[in-house]
Amino acid sequence: QVLLQESGPGLVKPSQTLSLTCTVSGGSITTIYYNWSWIRQPPGKGLEWMGAISYSGTTYYSPSLNSRTTISRDTSKNQFTLQVTRVTREDTAVYYCAGEIGLGAQWDYWGQGTQVTVSS
């Protein structure tokens, strides 16, 4: 059974950098054809795909967030991370990590989500 768990600070100040880590257990993030995504849901809004990193380390980003978002991985720890720079209150959301084969938004595996609030 593949399990994902998000971790990171729940409160970030405006203009600072948001950093989250997703730890994957029960499977490897290098399993061929799997892509590992970050998705968020702001209060009262729908899910927003932010970007992904592939089994080979290739990254993909949403055009609306590309300039502020970096996704990386540590294969030795079976983790992938999200960084969002210059955050504003608009970045307040529940952040999820998820995994799927391909990039069709048909995620097979989800973390439970973690609340991140941007506030001074």
Side-chain angles (χ1 to χ4, degrees), residues 2-71:
V2 177
L3 299 176
L4 284 69
Q5 179 66 59
E6 304 91 349
S7 59
L11 181 64
V12 183
K13 293 183 178 181
S15 81
Q16 293 190 340
T17 297
L18 179 162
S19 295
L20 295 174
T21 296
C22 182
T23 301
V24 180
S25 59
S28 172
I29 62 172
T30 61
T31 299
I32 196 166
Y33 300 140
Y34 265 87
N35 294 294
W36 306 94
S37 288
W38 286 99
I39 302 148
R40 68 181 182 181
Q41 186 168 28
K45 297 184 179 181
L47 294 172
E48 177 184 24
W49 178 78
M50 303 180 69
I53 188 164
S54 77
Y55 65 96
S56 63
T58 302
T59 51
Y60 308 90
Y61 297 105
S62 166
S64 64
L65 294 166
N66 187 24
S67 63
R68 298 195 295 128
T69 304
T70 302
I71 297 174

Side-chain angles (χ1 to χ4, degrees), residues 48-101:
E48 177 184 24
W49 178 78
M50 303 180 69
I53 188 164
S54 77
Y55 65 96
S56 63
T58 302
T59 51
Y60 308 90
Y61 297 105
S62 166
S64 64
L65 294 166
N66 187 24
S67 63
R68 298 195 295 128
T69 304
T70 302
I71 297 174
S72 58
R73 66 178 186 171
D74 185 334
T75 57
S76 68
K77 295 181 180 178
N78 216 34
Q79 295 175 334
F80 61 105
T81 62
L82 171 73
Q83 288 192 318
V84 181
T85 59
R86 308 186 306 275
V87 297
T88 70
R89 287 178 172 79
E90 299 288 311
D91 294 306
T92 294
V94 177
Y95 285 76
Y96 299 92
C97 57
E100 64 172 332
I101 294 176

